[in-house]
Amino acid sequence: MAQTLMYLVITSMHLSPAARARLYNQTISLVYYICTLTNNAPSSDLADVFPCSPPLDLGKVQGDILAGGLPKKTETCYFFRINDAYVHEFRTQLGKLVPLITSTAEVINDQRKQLAQNKKDAAEKKITPPHLKLSGVNISFSTKGLKKMGITDEIGDAAFDAGMLAGAKELGDIGTSPSNGPFDPDWIPAFKQEIDGLILITGDSYATVAEKLAEIEKILLVQARNPIIHEVIRLVGDVRSGKEKGHEHFGFQDGISNPAVTDVDANPNPGQQVVPQGIILLGRPGDAPTLGTPAAPVTRPHWALDGSFLSFRYLFQLVPEFNAFLKNNPIPITGLTREQGSELLGARLVGRWKSGAPVDLAPLHDDPVLGQDPLRNNNFHYTFPDDQQTQTRCPFAAHLRKTNPRGDLDQFGPNALPPHRIIRSGIAFGPEVSAVEAASEKTHLPRGLLFIAYQSNIEQGFQFIQQSWSNTPKFPPRKPANEIPGFDPIIGQTNDDGVRTLSGTDPNSQTANLKLPKQWVVPKGGEYFFSPSIPALKERFALTEPSSEL
């Protein structure tokens, strides 16, 4: 109750979101400071919700969660199952793996500084930046993995406990519902098997990642007579090259809208929402059910502090089919060519032009300079005078607006949006579209996104965004009765791949519904994982006893 009341008092103040979040975290730090000075526990009321956690130490947080994630040109996602007969041995060897885990402090203070200095030196010499060898390692565990290791404390997230497969129908994944069995999503077989954990290995090259993975497999005795883990599936993602760097496979600039985190991201860009640490990290201020409700704060085990839930999705993108739809359905605006009308349709479906310029600021024409300017390309709130009741600038159901509705939720107060923010850290996979695919307008080779998102509450984070926003035609709420927003055209889905619609794609005919003949983003698997803090890996997950003979 004390936490909720304090948050409500602070958020009622006439302060910017960044200032409110900063004041909230500073208040918690003050409580901790008083505890340390008096050498006393806080009152029983505060003890339940403010358990005198120490100030955030980024050296204890795994490096892919905050501050832009692990630097990468390529990334391997290594999904594994722990050998049932050697769980003790796995936990023993895990202790030897922990020194390889990359922390957020290492990312900020070492890797990103090295990259920045490398670019600066090259610019001064007017040369291409030389190759810089960097790698990163993180590890996380599914609920099955935790239980197998004997870690059965209630972690406080029902979605994590159930696993993604059990909730695939509610997510809207395509599949079938046999009369005598559970929903069967159209996933690849690997993600219907038991997966206990996920190791992320990032690097500047395939060779660097392969070298690091070999070191990991040696520690985990993968080549032993009786291996302690079995590889379930290995997925490789790559940053697209050349002018497509930073763009996903449909061609749109990605990763612009991630929130900043209080006392982690020192200089958030204009328009970038600042959220309390507990929106992403367990046990930190803001780690609670949707604020403003009478629900009790989430109860977490002590070892969950500074961990985060990882939502993984294996998303296939049907790029030739998407491009064909744009080509065949240009928006008829006076002064635009047919090709420009197709580009405009794509921008209004996504909410941004391919350059990254938001359509709310550039409604009819791309503005690449705006798209590349971090001081402007996220500085909008859907609060132009006509934004809330017309779709002149941006369709209500545009992907960007569905997944981060900004001003659409202002009417419900300042607490409506922050609990649902996530930090995305995914990477594209698969080859570029071939000439044959482009000509036939049909996908022949798999490509898409290895979607990774971090949050402290899956039900309020990834799951809520997918189910309650992207898949819900009447979201955002309180729009004109004759302009039902429709599905998120990029990730909104139905279990049967049925026809979806959305309104407002044509700014001159905003009540007209556009039919979307198929899903262009198709989930083929996924799972929920928990990324523990580095101290938790050492003290709760790893064992120090010698392993038996393997």
Side-chain angles (χ1 to χ4, degrees), residues 128-203:
T128 301
H131 179 79
L132 191 62
K133 184 177 180 180
L134 290 174
S135 64
V137 177
N138 276 188
I139 190 169
S140 57
F141 298 92
S142 69
T143 187
K144 293 178 181 177
L146 293 185
K147 290 175 181 177
K148 183 175 288 188
M149 289 186 289
I151 300 173
T152 57
D153 310 36
E154 175 54 53
I155 201 168
D157 194 289
F160 173 76
D161 291 342
M164 188 179 289
L165 181 61
K169 183 176 182 179
E170 288 69 31
L171 291 173
D173 289 6
I174 297 170
T176 57
S177 296
S179 58
N180 60 345
F183 177 77
D184 183 22
D186 185 21
W187 289 6
I188 64 171
F191 285 102
K192 296 181 182 180
Q193 300 178 29
E194 177 184 327
I195 296 176
D196 294 329
L198 166 62
I199 301 173
L200 303 178
I201 310 102
T202 63

Side-chain angles (χ1 to χ4, degrees), residues 230-465:
H230 299 284
E231 178 182 334
V232 177
I233 189 172
R234 183 184 313 193
L235 300 175
V236 177
D238 300 291
V239 173
R240 298 177 70 201
S241 61
K243 64 183 180 63
E244 296 300 333
K245 183 178 180 180
H247 295 242
E248 49 71 55
H249 273 295
F250 290 141
F252 294 86
Q253 183 76 27
D254 199 13
I256 297 174
S257 299
N258 272 338
V261 176
T262 303
D263 295 333
V264 176
D265 302 291
N267 299 298
N269 291 318
Q272 184 179 21
Q273 185 179 24
V274 181
V275 299
Q277 295 168 1
I279 299 299
I280 308 300
L281 298 176
L282 277 69
R284 292 293 172 181
D287 176 19
T290 303
L291 295 168
T293 71
V298 177
T299 300
R300 309 289 196 189
H302 70 278
W303 52 262
L305 179 68
D306 293 337
S308 188
F309 290 113
L310 185 164
S311 299
F312 179 87
R313 294 279 269 175
Y314 189 28
L315 301 177
F316 282 46
Q317 292 176 253
L318 305 182
V319 180
E321 291 86 344
F322 178 76
N323 290 339
F325 181 81
L326 300 184
K327 184 179 73 172
N328 295 330
N329 295 275
I331 297 176
I333 298 290
T334 302
L336 296 186
T337 65
R338 185 178 177 87
E339 182 179 0
Q340 290 171 331
S342 294
E343 291 175 356
L344 176 60
L345 175 61
R348 288 179 70 81
L349 293 180
V350 173
R352 289 189 188 274
W353 295 86
K354 288 186 176 181
S355 69
V359 296
D360 202 48
L361 300 180
L364 297 179
H365 302 277
D366 192 5
D367 185 345
V369 176
L370 166 63
Q372 294 304 304
D373 185 351
L375 299 182
R376 295 192 295 147
N377 64 13
N378 206 31
N379 194 16
F380 63 99
H381 200 62
Y382 304 125
T383 49
F384 283 100
D386 58 346
D387 269 353
Q388 287 301 304
Q389 293 300 307
T390 80
Q391 305 186 75
T392 303
R393 290 179 171 275
C394 181
F396 301 139
H399 171 63
L400 195 70
R401 193 166 185 169
K402 278 277 197 177
T403 55
N404 182 13
R406 304 177 192 239
D408 287 317
L409 297 187
D410 283 355
Q411 58 195 308
F412 302 107
N415 302 327
L417 183 57
H420 309 301
R421 297 309 312 275
I422 59 177
I423 290 181
R424 294 174 296 117
S425 188
I427 191 169
F429 74 88
E432 298 299 320
V433 173
S434 68
V436 172
E437 289 176 301
S440 66
E441 300 180 345
K442 186 173 179 59
T443 297
H444 298 298
L445 300 171
R447 65 181 57 80
L449 181 69
L450 305 180
F451 175 90
I452 292 173
Y454 295 97
Q455 63 263 282
S456 64
N457 188 321
I458 298 170
E459 290 181 298
Q460 294 294 335
F462 160 75
Q463 193 178 84
F464 190 93
I465 293 171

Side-chain angles (χ1 to χ4, degrees), residues 25-267:
N25 280 282
Q26 288 172 346
T27 304
I28 303 304
S29 297
L30 178 60
V31 172
Y32 169 73
Y33 181 62
I34 292 172
C35 289
T36 58
L37 287 179
T38 61
N39 198 30
N40 289 316
S43 69
S44 58
D45 182 30
L46 285 177
D48 291 336
V49 291
F50 301 144
C52 273
S53 300
L56 180 62
D57 180 351
L58 296 179
K60 298 178 179 180
V61 180
Q62 294 202 53
D64 199 47
I65 300 171
L66 302 172
L70 296 170
K72 67 195 77 169
K73 287 187 176 179
T74 183
E75 178 171 25
T76 291
C77 298
Y78 187 97
F79 299 86
F80 65 90
R81 177 174 57 82
I82 302 169
N83 189 326
D84 292 354
Y86 295 104
V87 174
H88 182 94
E89 287 75 12
F90 169 78
R91 295 185 67 183
T92 300
Q93 294 303 112
L94 180 61
K96 300 176 183 178
L97 179 65
V98 171
L100 271 61
I101 303 300
T102 309
S103 71
T104 298
E106 289 176 274
V107 169
I108 295 174
N109 300 325
D110 298 334
Q111 297 189 353
R112 295 204 182 279
K113 285 186 177 180
Q114 289 181 53
L115 289 167
Q117 189 63 47
N118 194 43
K119 289 180 180 179
K120 180 181 178 182
D121 293 344
E124 291 174 351
K125 298 175 183 178
K126 298 181 179 180
I127 61 174
T128 301
H131 179 79
L132 191 62
K133 184 177 180 180
L134 290 174
S135 64
V137 177
N138 276 188
I139 190 169
S140 57
F141 298 92
S142 69
T143 187
K144 293 178 181 177
L146 293 185
K147 290 175 181 177
K148 183 175 288 188
M149 289 186 289
I151 300 173
T152 57
D153 310 36
E154 175 54 53
I155 201 168
D157 194 289
F160 173 76
D161 291 342
M164 188 179 289
L165 181 61
K169 183 176 182 179
E170 288 69 31
L171 291 173
D173 289 6
I174 297 170
T176 57
S177 296
S179 58
N180 60 345
F183 177 77
D184 183 22
D186 185 21
W187 289 6
I188 64 171
F191 285 102
K192 296 181 182 180
Q193 300 178 29
E194 177 184 327
I195 296 176
D196 294 329
L198 166 62
I199 301 173
L200 303 178
I201 310 102
T202 63
D204 59 281
S205 66
Y206 292 143
T208 298
V209 169
E211 180 182 330
K212 184 61 65 174
L213 181 55
E215 185 178 359
I216 293 168
E217 289 188 325
K218 184 176 180 180
I219 291 173
L220 296 180
L221 308 176
V222 173
Q223 303 302 323
R225 175 166 51 91
N226 296 306
I228 62 176
I229 66 169
H230 299 284
E231 178 182 334
V232 177
I233 189 172
R234 183 184 313 193
L235 300 175
V236 177
D238 300 291
V239 173
R240 298 177 70 201
S241 61
K243 64 183 180 63
E244 296 300 333
K245 183 178 180 180
H247 295 242
E248 49 71 55
H249 273 295
F250 290 141
F252 294 86
Q253 183 76 27
D254 199 13
I256 297 174
S257 299
N258 272 338
V261 176
T262 303
D263 295 333
V264 176
D265 302 291
N267 299 298

